[in-house]
Amino acid sequence: MTKEVMNVPRAKKTEVVSQGHLCMPEDSRKRASRRLAIARGHLESIIRMLDDPHIYCVDVLRQLKAVQGALSGAGEVVLRGHLEAHVATAHERGDTTEIIEELMEALKYT
Amino acid sequence: MTKEVMNVPRAKKTEVVSQGHLCMPEDSRKRASRRLAIARGHLESIIRMLDDPHIYCVDVLRQLKAVQGALSGAGEVVLRGHLEAHVATAHERGDTTEIIEELMEALKYT
Amino acid sequence: MTKEVMNVPRAKKTEVVSQGHLCMPEDSRKRASRRLAIARGHLESIIRMLDDPHIYCVDVLRQLKAVQGALSGAGEVVLRGHLEAHVATAHERGDTTEIIEELMEALKYT
Amino acid sequence: MTKEVMNVPRAKKTEVVSQGHLCMPEDSRKRASRRLAIARGHLESIIRMLDDPHIYCVDVLRQLKAVQGALSGAGEVVLRGHLEAHVATAHERGDTTEIIEELMEALKYT
């Protein structure tokens, strides 16, 4: 799944490439992780809600929507980091077609 | 948040009403809970992935998409149970306007 | 595609049933039609934009998003009318399972 | 709205830049235009459907979904062209931050 990169300019290597792969920028990684931890907590509280036989459907729908919003927010962080670190430099690396094909595929059915 | 129901016909009481509230059908509750437990496991594995500095953005996007699909599936279970247990009987209970207003609001920005 | 209805109470017949079918409430039909006429005008203006070789991609994306919002708005009008006129009365008619199956199918992949 | 570009390398000028602006690649423009013309035809047929008082809500929802799919397809064509022609070359032009900010903003609330 990871993207092989052979001849990447030195300067960018520390940031986004390691062991011949494009890697997620650390800042995106940390921010996405924090958001997902919050989403997990929220998801756990919905699972506990569902143990209560008096729970009302629409309240569950509302909470699910909130978690989906949190996941979309995390996805936005990851996408932005990918565009900045890897897509914006694709023409220089010479892998524009592949990297965009891969991204369009991953974004499908969002 | 819960929906007050005063004069609900006796027969439906055991299923979907308790203590004067509309309640989620047990079957939906159990099925939604199982799906969300799976989604939680998947979400936890993404959070662990994000500890690895060699992770690649597009792999994270793909995993996030899978979790969002699982949450949508759980939402579908809840919505179907709500339509069957509460919306399809709204005209008999006499709260059609309120129950549909509430549902449309909850579905917004899906 | 249309939903056969045999023994519908007389009073609702004029509104939502004709020739043995469930029909869209007139108010929803008129409101959805107006909204779609506006969306069509907007869509035509995007098609004209695309004749201009100097057009910028992101401007087209923004306009497409606006038209998609207008279509969602029209879909919301139709869904609300359907819930009020046909789903809320399903238990009385005795076709709850079929009408909800059909709706869940139509809402899929929104 | 359009993106000012001052010092773009000569070679790419013919394709994607004109009069100091980034312009949509001709191929995307033509393909998006053809898809939107089809979507317009489909939308017109829904507007005609809505003149018929016997139309059924769920049939309208299904047709609306088809048009929304066609618009998403056109949006995908435009996005792909933008990523290839403008985002993949952003680092070379030196406008990575601006072009990604602009794109993330345009994709919001998809």
Side-chain angles (χ1 to χ4, degrees), chain A residues 1 18-19 22-24 29 50 54-59 62 65 68 72 82 86 102 107 110, chain B residues 1 18-19 22 24 29 50 54-59 62 65 68 72 82 86 102 107-108 110:
Chain A
M1 293 283 184
S18 167
Q19 303 176 342
L22 293 180
C23 297
M24 198 167 161
R29 209 158 49 76
L50 288 167
H54 297 147
I55 193 67
Y56 179 48
C57 316
V58 176
D59 293 328
R62 283 189 191 110
K65 186 124 319 190
Q68 284 178 309
S72 296
H82 182 56
H86 307 138
E102 176 192 67
L107 291 179
T110 313
Chain B
M1 292 286 186
S18 166
Q19 304 177 341
L22 293 179
M24 197 167 162
R29 210 157 47 76
L50 288 167
H54 298 148
I55 192 69
Y56 179 48
C57 315
V58 176
D59 293 328
R62 284 188 191 112
K65 187 124 317 187
Q68 285 179 307
S72 295
H82 182 57
H86 306 137
E102 177 192 65
L107 291 180
K108 228 165 201 169
T110 313

Side-chain angles (χ1 to χ4, degrees), chain C residues 1 18-19 22-24 29 50 54-59 62 65 68 72 82 86 102 107 110, chain D residues 1 18-19 22 24 29 50 54-59 62 65 68 72 82 86 102 107-108 110:
Chain C
M1 294 286 186
S18 166
Q19 304 176 340
L22 292 180
C23 297
M24 196 169 165
R29 207 157 50 77
L50 288 167
H54 296 146
I55 193 69
Y56 179 49
C57 315
V58 177
D59 293 329
R62 284 188 191 111
K65 187 123 316 186
Q68 285 177 308
S72 296
H82 182 58
H86 307 137
E102 174 191 69
L107 291 180
T110 314
Chain D
M1 293 286 184
S18 166
Q19 304 177 342
L22 293 179
M24 196 167 164
R29 209 157 49 76
L50 289 168
H54 298 147
I55 192 69
Y56 179 49
C57 316
V58 176
D59 294 328
R62 285 189 191 111
K65 186 124 317 187
Q68 284 178 310
S72 295
H82 182 56
H86 306 136
E102 176 191 68
L107 292 179
K108 229 166 199 169
T110 311

